[in-house]
Amino acid sequence: WDENFRKESEWYPGRLRESGIGVTYQRLLWKGLFAQIEVLPLRKTYLGKDGKKIGNGFKLYTSYHVGYHFQFFKNRFFIEPQVHCNYWPVDTNTPDAFKQLDNKWNNYFLFEPNLYLGVKF
């Protein structure tokens, strides 16, 4: 939402590849209302503009959700509007060129709206 993000001077000096396996816990609070937490440890690989590896790091990504589960057509289809809050408390070994741009942004993102559509088989 920041106009400065469109400027070429705000582009990262390469690419970042992240991979990991996460765990999710969801709890039904009342009727279709639910809360959910996701924890995702990520291994990061930093690549320069030439595509060569310049470093490795680790990130712990967490996401907190509140939403409502609506079911339709004999419980075959569902819609889940949700609000997410994302937070990554651990982010290690970031190369300086990447870190300078990362430091301009918070390590959290509040109130991300999402809408999930689904089919039960």
Side-chain angles (χ1 to χ4, degrees), residues 2 16 27 36 41 64 70-71 93 110 114-115 119-120:
D2 189 341
L16 169 64
R27 177 78 180 202
Q36 178 175 319
Y64 310 92
F70 296 98
Q71 296 184 32
N93 298 333
L110 301 177
N114 283 276
L115 181 64
V119 178
K120 291 184 181 179

Side-chain angles (χ1 to χ4, degrees), residues 34-59:
F34 66 90
Q36 178 175 319
I37 183 171
E38 297 177 20
V39 178
L40 176 60
L42 295 165
R43 182 181 186 279
K44 303 186 308 182
T45 303
Y46 292 94
L47 305 169
K49 287 185 178 182
D50 58 0
K52 293 183 180 178
K53 185 171 130 177
I54 58 174
N56 288 322
F58 174 79
K59 179 187 282 186

Side-chain angles (χ1 to χ4, degrees), residues 7-117:
K7 295 179 184 176
E8 189 171 331
S9 64
E10 295 294 317
W11 292 357
Y12 284 86
R15 297 182 307 153
L16 169 64
R17 197 177 302 157
E18 297 178 318
S19 58
I21 297 176
V23 177
T24 301
Y25 176 74
Q26 186 179 65
R27 177 78 180 202
L28 184 62
L29 301 174
W30 175 76
K31 295 191 180 187
L33 183 67
F34 66 90
Q36 178 175 319
I37 183 171
E38 297 177 20
V39 178
L40 176 60
L42 295 165
R43 182 181 186 279
K44 303 186 308 182
T45 303
Y46 292 94
L47 305 169
K49 287 185 178 182
D50 58 0
K52 293 183 180 178
K53 185 171 130 177
I54 58 174
N56 288 322
F58 174 79
K59 179 187 282 186
L60 181 62
Y61 173 83
T62 61
S63 181
Y64 310 92
H65 310 233
V66 174
Y68 199 88
H69 183 87
F70 296 98
Q71 296 184 32
F72 302 99
F73 305 112
K74 297 182 183 178
N75 299 333
R76 298 280 298 165
F77 297 95
F78 65 89
I79 297 175
E80 289 183 352
Q82 299 182 22
V83 175
H84 298 199
C85 296
N86 307 309
Y87 176 55
W88 40 102
V90 177
D91 195 358
T92 64
N93 298 333
T94 305
D96 288 334
F98 284 79
K99 190 181 285 190
Q100 290 173 359
L101 291 170
D102 279 349
N103 288 341
K104 294 179 181 180
W105 308 98
N106 296 320
N107 66 340
Y108 61 87
F109 188 79
L110 301 177
F111 308 114
E112 175 187 345
N114 283 276
L115 181 64
Y116 291 89
L117 307 173

